[in-house]
Amino acid sequence: MPFKSKQGKLFGNRPSKSELDTRSDINSTDGTYNVKCFGAKGDGTSDDWEALQEAVDVIYRQPGGGALFFPPGLYRISRPLEVPDTDNAVSWIGHSSKSTVIAPSEPMDYLVRMRGEGGKVEGIKFRGTDPLNGYAQNAKVCMLATNIRDKAFSNAAFVWGAVHGLQITGEGNNNLCVFDRLCVFSQNGTVAKGTDGSGSADTVQFRDFNPVRNDVHVGAYLKIGSGEGSVYHIDAVTSDRITISPDLKEPLDEGSEYAIHIGCGLQTDRGSDNNVYGIYDCHFVGNAGAGLMVRGLYGHHIQGGNFDSNGITGIHIGSGMINTTPAYSNTINHSYFEANGYANVILDYPSGLTVLDPLLAEPVDGTAGDVASITSLRGYYFDFDSTSISYNGRQYGYVAETDCSSSYQMEGTSQLAIDRPAGARSPAVIQLPPVPPHQFGEKLEIFVEDSGGQPVHLVCEHAGVNKLPGERGIVVPGGIGFVITVFYSPRNSSWMVSHTLPVQL
């Protein structure tokens, strides 16, 4: 019989499973249990899977949950650790993400499947490699999270997964999770290169390469050649081909080199209840695909953080299939982007996105720097008028396409682009919307790319325009490359118009 302390904590030899099931003094005074009391060694050579899995099974059965403490050490496991599907709140606490490491000794799909409500993960590194076997990336995913709610991650690291660092699946109710205080998502994913691909339009087939066997998945990237337009999103996968968007710019012939970038630091999948994530001051560095991929979810708030040297992009928001579930109500505030491969931020299906004052260094091989490094692969921004970017003191937004008809309606939109053929025979008539029904400032922008040599005439049936009768409105001289800014003044009961601001790119 193992020695028991008066406080009821476990010391000495590991009790048998039957003893742990029947003992009445399993509870510790503070709810914290040392995994070494269950026989885990953390010496870098022993297989700690059985001891750690037993500790997980026991603690998650305790009423009210508790905490598992991992002293400094390298805990090697030969099988994934499975958290029971329970609502008990259990925290995983290590000494620090530098000194407490969980790593695989055999190939596996994931190191840990995390479940449960409440609790936190702090001070542990989940490393997808076996350091005693040539640093082989044995774990495809460092942590697979299914049905997690109200969980906080702090000073945790997810590194060297063959596919993802942390994947929050579309299964279950994954809600209200926070990542803060230097969580690290680094060096996850792989890049597969070859010359056996061929295709055109939206399909690429392979003579030798097997995408399924090599963990290519929806959300991975195909890169062909260099520069802007060289990256494609992978939409579907079979054993010998992939479907991509947008279509290939030019047919791909065998012999041309391609690269498939597989994996992300943190991927949040589409799901009906995958909502509200706070990501604060975290590091996304050196991942093969994206540092952070947000796929069709609601309420991701990214504050600060470092997105550095990721193979394709720092952040990809709204990368779900087009015309399915967009990514609603996201923010990116004061984040730092440097040395990413193709773009700093990719937006493919967002709605209600605000980007505030990012620091944007020019990508290595793809888009240009500054605001141009925030781009779309598919050219489909969804709610263009709900996407707002503030950068270096200027406000940017995506502008709706317009035809060259004689009248443009602005009701329902705050931005409009005018691009008319040279030699147009009549003014471009802009119909301003009705008086705003609220007390907030209402601002409209008309981007005059080319007025076709004719003036731009602004009218409004419901209000004055520069204090003139709305049916008369005002006429702006024709030209190329300027912005007409319009705002409603309740005091003057009029839309006030300025056309003196040149476009600054």
Side-chain angles (χ1 to χ4, degrees), residues 74 92 142 253 272 289 342 346 386 389 465 499:
L74 172 57
W92 294 42
C142 296
D253 298 321
S272 60
Y342 178 77
I346 294 176
S386 69
I389 301 171
V465 184
H499 55 86

Side-chain angles (χ1 to χ4, degrees), residues 8 11 85 95 126 145 162 215 225 248 259 262 273 276 376 400 433:
F11 293 90
D85 195 1
H95 181 262
F126 301 88
D215 300 312
L248 289 168
I262 302 165
D273 292 312
V276 189
S376 169

